Amino acid sequence: MDKFVVHGPCRLSGKVNISGAKNAALAILPATLLVDGSCHIENVPDISDIRAYLEILESLGSKITKISNNEYIIDNSNISSAIASYELTSKFRASYYLLGALIGKFNDVQISLPGGCNLGARPIDQHIKAFEKLGASVEVLRGNVYAKRTTTLKGTSIFFDVVSVGATINAILAATLSDGVTTIENPAKEPHIVDVANFLNSAGAKIKGAGTDIIKITGVNSLKQVSSYSVIPDQIEAGTFMVAATATKGDITINNCIPKHMEPITAKLVEAGAIVEEFETSIRVKMDSVPNPINVKTMPYPGFPTDMQPQISTLATIANGTSVIIENIWESRFQYTDELAKMGADISAHASTAIIKGVKSLYGSPVKCHDLRAGASMIIAGLIADGTTEVYEIQHILRGYENIVDKFTALGAKIEFVPDNSQK
Ligand code: UD1
């Protein structure tokens, strides 16, 4: 099994450049399906989830030209199929955006139910409700979702019962080429929702209010080519480095980020004792004391992101007191706490709450990644710990962090990728 080996403890210092946002890029790629003509997209993160999505688009008939590892021209003028293969789509969550994009353009669509990180049940009732309100019929059968329509989708009002990032983006995608006006109430407001709307607007869509309490979409007949669109920086990658700086008593400048998007994370790190300086497109995080305990409740944006919960919990393991972490979005997002316990953390998690009593230090141990963000927290734990930490199942980390070993190494970490040679 491939692994990362981390030698701790270390103090991180220096500068790191943040890549494009995974969650924005994974919605913008399917959004290109709505565009007549090519889309030139920059600042696309070079991660395995993106490579998998490009493969799905190619299987549907997209012509993809790779300009560099972070830049693509995608031409969807000749899409030949609205049926996405089970093998390709069942592996990750963001494949469900194909539904919204394809039903906006085609009459018959089929994809498999979403996979992705194992964080608990992944209902899509709100997505289905939005498609049905717009006039599509939707059926879920044997692991596949079938969406059909007989005429152009019709503008409508959609009220979401729960705040859902995926359903909000899917409703935007489906309504973009509809007839009339659609309003979405109780939408999610995450930065990547605004980015998808901005991308679609750059192609001629009429979407207003993304990032606020009501989104209004006036349907247009077609979208035109996009000569250049740059994906926003990754809020969670930036947050991961901010926590790593704080946990290692380091001093890092995080370049190419949007400080406004970082506010919920910044606020908690300041409570923990970090000194955070904000600039226009960068943030400096400095820490020179043992962290204070922190209480965190994950919430939809602008609340504290669920995708930062494992990292902030890892920081709490070495705080000078007891922290309480409440997970409100996903039902099984504390599986990684068993791994931290192997490293000496005093942590007990039941249902949606983890109680973490700070210890003086962690020690190195073999650990495994349960999911993407839990994987990042294993690296942070390895950086704090005394001794060597072997991190297994790193395919989860590679789904969402570009060049993570190089980035941490440049900050002074002793971390290496060790390939599995047992197959040779
Ligand atoms: C969620 C997170 C997102 C994170 C991603 C991966 C929120 C609001 N969303 O996005 O920040 O990047 O996980 O960790 O923080 N739900 C339903 N019915 C639906 C859709 C969702 O009940 O049709 C529920 C889910 O079970 C979950 C909550 O709504 O409890 C939020 O889900 P949603 O935002 O859709 O999930 P993702 O888009 O995967």
Side-chain angles (χ1 to χ4, degrees):
M1 223 186 286
D2 293 345
K3 62 184 173 187
F4 290 151
V5 177
V6 188
H7 303 280
C10 88
R11 179 181 177 273
L12 297 181
S13 69
K15 294 179 181 154
V16 61
N17 277 334
I18 296 307
S19 298
K22 162 184 165 286
N23 288 337
L26 286 176
I28 289 172
L29 293 184
T32 65
L33 288 162
L34 292 165
V35 177
D36 294 330
S38 60
C39 302
H40 184 167
I41 318 225
E42 295 166 63
N43 206 31
V44 179
D46 186 19
I47 52 177
S48 67
D49 263 12
I50 291 291
R51 291 189 284 275
Y53 223 117
L54 291 170
E55 206 184 325
I56 295 176
L57 291 181
E58 276 183 327
S59 76
L60 297 173
S62 307
K63 186 171 166 256
I64 295 172
T65 310
K66 182 173 180 177
I67 311 291
S68 74
N69 284 347
N70 304 108
E71 194 177 345
Y72 294 87
I73 295 175
I74 302 174
D75 186 346
N76 289 328
S77 331
N78 292 312
I79 291 296
S80 48
S81 167
I83 301 179
S85 104
Y86 178 85
E87 286 71 31
L88 296 176
T89 56
S90 58
K91 291 182 201 127
F92 62 112
R93 170 188 75 93
S95 60
Y96 55 34
Y97 296 138
L98 291 169
L99 267 180
L102 289 169
I103 200 61
K105 215 156 177 188
F106 297 94
N107 289 341
D108 279 293
V109 177
Q110 179 189 329
I111 73 153
S112 64
L113 282 169
C117 286
N118 179 21
L119 310 174
R122 287 185 177 270
I124 58 162
D125 55 300
Q126 300 301 307
H127 304 236
I128 293 174
K129 171 168 135 173
F131 298 142
E132 288 179 341
K133 287 271 322 207
L134 286 158
S137 62
V138 183
E139 203 180 5
V140 182
L141 208 61
R142 289 192 284 273
N144 285 316
V145 189
Y146 301 85
K148 289 183 199 301
R149 64 180 168 99
T150 46
T151 58
T152 309
L153 298 177
K154 298 272 179 291
T156 185
S157 59
I158 299 167
F159 187 97
F160 285 127
D161 309 336
V162 292
V163 176
S164 160
V165 171
T168 302
I169 290 179
N170 252 336
I172 292 174
L173 293 172
T176 292
L177 296 181
S178 67
D179 257 350
V181 177
T182 298
T183 52
I184 306 175
E185 290 185 62
N186 199 25
K189 300 177 200 159
E190 269 65 2
H192 42 292
I193 289 174
V194 180
D195 207 32
V196 177
N198 286 343
F199 165 75
L200 290 166
N201 284 342
S202 77
K206 291 195 176 145
I207 304 164
K208 286 189 176 160
T212 73
D213 289 328
I214 299 188
I215 301 177
K216 183 175 162 193
I217 302 150
T218 305
V220 295
N221 290 332
S222 62
L223 298 182
K224 58 178 190 324
Q225 89 168 47
V226 177
S227 53
S228 166
Y229 190 85
S230 185
V231 176
I232 53 164
D234 197 301
Q235 176 207 29
I236 305 301
E237 189 198 11
T240 300
F241 281 105
M242 289 173 75
V243 171
T246 310
T248 62
K249 290 194 193 152
D251 181 354
I252 302 184
T253 299
I254 293 151
N255 289 326
N256 185 34
C257 67
I258 300 177
K260 172 95 191 129
H261 294 170
M262 308 314 302
E263 278 170 1
I265 300 158
T266 301
K268 283 294 149 190
L269 294 181
V270 168
E271 271 178 50
I275 299 157
V276 181
E277 276 181 273
E278 294 182 0
F279 305 94
E280 206 175 324
T281 56
S282 63
I283 284 192
R284 181 176 177 191
V285 181
K286 236 173 108 179
M287 180 74 169
D288 45 26
S289 56
V290 175
N292 304 317
I294 30 185
N295 295 329
V296 172
K297 290 181 184 167
T298 65
M299 303 284 276
Y301 188 83
F304 190 89
T306 176
D307 283 353
M308 285 300 303
Q309 183 261 97
Q311 301 90 314
I312 202 97
S313 297
T314 304
L315 172 67
T317 63
I318 50 160
N320 57 18
T322 299
S323 302
V324 179
I325 313 286
I326 299 176
E327 172 57 52
N328 287 313
I329 309 293
W330 295 115
E331 61 196 25
S332 333
R333 205 165 194 171
F334 283 127
Q335 298 166 64
Y336 69 90
T337 56
D338 290 343
E339 308 299 315
L340 291 179
K342 283 183 201 161
M343 299 177 72
D346 184 343
I347 182 163
S348 67
H350 298 287
S352 61
T353 305
I355 310 278
I356 305 170
K357 293 182 186 156
V359 294
K360 284 226 153 49
S361 62
L362 301 181
Y363 42 82
S365 157
V367 290
K368 74 170 183 182
C369 307
H370 283 270
D371 61 64
L372 166 61
R373 307 304 172 183
S377 74
M378 292 302 118
I379 295 182
I380 297 172
L383 295 171
I384 314 171
D386 292 324
T388 300
T389 298
E390 292 173 359
V391 181
Y392 290 94
E393 304 207 17
I394 58 172
Q395 74 280 3
H396 291 291
I397 300 178
L398 302 177
R399 281 185 43 220
Y401 288 91
E402 177 173 338
N403 292 336
I404 193 161
V405 169
D406 292 349
K407 288 187 184 186
F408 272 117
T409 303
L411 293 169
K414 292 200 180 82
I415 173 169
E416 58 196 311
F417 168 70
V418 180
D420 178 9
N421 287 324
S422 65
Q423 310 297 330
K424 289 187 181 165

